[in-house]
Amino acid sequence: MDYVRESSAWVANRSSHVVVDSAGIEKVVDTIESIPKVEWDFEGIHYFDNGPLTVQYLFVLDALNFCFWPDKDLSYDHLASGLKAALQNDKSAFDADRLQKYTGPQLRELLGWPRPLPLEDERVRLLHEVGFELERSFEGKASNIVESCGKSAQNLVALVARHFPGFRDHSVYKGRQVFLYKRAQIFAADLWGAFQGQGYGEFQDISSITIMADYIVPAVLQQLGVLKYSPKLAKTIEGSEEIGPGTEEEVELRACSVHAVEKMRELISVKSGRPVLSVELDLWLWASGVQCSSLQHHKTLSIYY
């Protein structure tokens, strides 16, 4: 994850449209006595049986965990709870051979969703990719990926990115490659949260995980005064205009969020006298954002978040 931190810092130091406000970070940190603990499954929407099937569920969930906003009624909750219900109804729903055969309408039926999903063809393609590579390299089981990583979140992210192209969340910014790995990292974070740091969720280096740069966290950071937008970018977001994937604005929104939260984490750790995990900050910021109905986030059609 050093690549994520280093390339995000590189972007933040050269950013034209997004500024990480050091005074804003200090102001926010001064108001925080401690990071509010947010339970991983605080809404009860996820499948959990404390075994390999939960790992399979989480990997399928995180393969599909992107781009809800084009459908105003669709949210992450629908995806998580829909997949949970599908698995409760049929324990073989996410078997590797079946993942390779789903069609768009079948995926909708699986989720109980009445109309085409945003980027539906991409979602189906990624399901096929996951099923194929799980069958080819991991005996069909996502749990075998986890067991191959040696209790290292960094190794897990690297394994997932190496074997599954749909998780390779890279961009090029001003001639330099930027690494963000939102969905690969959230798989590690979900395992850690679901299994409470034990069993399949035991990672000796969970502190290596950064935040998962998405739509919600930048908007929350901007609302807190940690991020400042240029007038042009602010107008684009307020007007609900699309921002192209890989554009300077889009990369800056995500990379500056990573860098800002790393700075927040460092200050909070010093203030509290104990290490603070970026994954804890991410869950707190994300939970705050999804509960704020007036939050305006940027709009980008992307398979990465």
Side-chain angles (χ1 to χ4, degrees):
M1 295 303 94
D2 289 343
Y3 285 153
V4 177
R5 287 182 170 84
E6 290 168 5
S7 60
S8 293
W10 194 89
V11 172
N13 289 331
R14 292 159 180 79
S15 180
S16 306
H17 310 278
V18 182
V19 173
V20 177
D21 191 307
S22 297
I25 291 174
E26 291 177 7
K27 186 176 179 181
V28 170
V29 169
D30 284 342
T31 68
I32 298 173
E33 292 301 321
S34 62
I35 299 300
K37 291 294 181 184
V38 180
E39 291 296 323
W40 171 77
D41 190 29
F42 65 96
E43 294 176 305
I45 58 175
H46 298 95
Y47 178 87
F48 184 75
D49 69 353
N50 202 37
L53 196 54
T54 295
V55 182
Q56 197 86 353
Y57 163 81
L58 290 174
F59 197 50
V60 171
L61 171 65
D62 291 328
L64 299 174
N65 182 7
F66 58 87
C67 206
F68 302 101
W69 64 265
D71 188 325
K72 63 181 178 62
D73 298 319
L74 183 66
S75 70
Y76 170 80
D77 288 11
H78 293 108
L79 177 66
S81 59
L83 293 176
K84 174 184 178 180
L87 199 52
Q88 288 174 327
N89 183 58
D90 179 0
K91 292 293 193 288
S92 67
F94 303 151
D95 285 1
D97 59 336
R98 292 187 62 182
L99 291 175
Q100 297 174 62
K101 298 171 184 174
Y102 280 115
T103 64
Q106 287 172 332
L107 176 57
R108 278 178 247 154
E109 184 179 355
L110 201 68
L111 297 174
W113 197 248
R115 52 185 174 273
L117 296 155
L119 296 182
E120 183 171 278
D121 290 346
E122 286 292 274
R123 285 185 156 91
V124 170
R125 181 182 69 80
L126 292 172
L127 276 185
H128 294 177
E129 176 187 286
V130 164
F132 174 78
E133 188 59 20
L134 281 178
E135 188 170 67
R136 184 177 74 163
S137 300
F138 299 100
E139 299 178 352
K141 297 178 181 179
S143 57
N144 285 338
I145 308 174
V146 181
E147 290 174 352
S148 300
C149 77
K151 301 186 187 306
S152 167
Q154 291 198 76
N155 288 349
L156 179 61
V157 171
L159 267 173
V160 169
R162 184 182 311 139
H163 284 273
F164 301 90
F167 283 83
R168 293 174 193 161
D169 185 4
H170 301 174
S171 296
V172 175
Y173 177 83
K174 296 184 178 178
R176 173 163 173 165
Q177 195 163 18
V178 178
F179 305 89
L180 294 163
Y181 291 133
K182 185 261 184 179
R183 290 194 291 106
Q185 287 200 87
I186 208 171
F187 179 49
D190 280 344
L191 289 164
W192 178 77
F195 290 91
Q196 298 184 352
Q198 302 297 315
Y200 289 112
E202 182 182 355
F203 300 110
Q204 296 169 350
D205 58 352
I206 191 62
S207 61
S208 67
I209 296 294
T210 70
I211 65 155
M212 279 55 79
D214 63 358
Y215 301 105
I216 301 298
V217 172
V220 173
L221 292 174
Q222 191 265 344
Q223 195 174 66
L224 290 172
V226 169
L227 296 183
K228 305 288 188 185
Y229 298 165
S230 69
K232 181 181 177 183
L233 177 58
K235 184 178 178 182
T236 297
I237 294 173
E238 288 164 8
S240 294
E241 298 175 41
E242 284 188 31
I243 297 174
T247 59
E248 286 192 2
E249 293 91 337
E250 190 256 352
V251 176
E252 288 178 13
L253 281 162
R254 300 182 70 206
C256 288
S257 296
V258 171
H259 185 62
V261 175
E262 285 302 300
K263 294 298 181 186
M264 286 177 64
R265 180 187 59 77
E266 291 169 5
L267 281 178
I268 295 168
S269 295
V270 170
K271 180 184 176 184
S272 65
R274 73 168 188 88
V276 174
L277 299 175
S278 294
V279 67
E280 294 175 315
L281 280 167
D282 180 86
L283 189 55
W284 168 55
L285 291 166
W286 184 82
S288 301
V290 296
Q291 293 172 25
C292 178
S293 58
S294 62
L295 194 73
Q296 280 194 297
H297 63 73
H298 72 282
K299 292 179 165 59
T300 297
L301 287 170
S302 171
I303 68 167
Y304 296 119
Y305 62 102

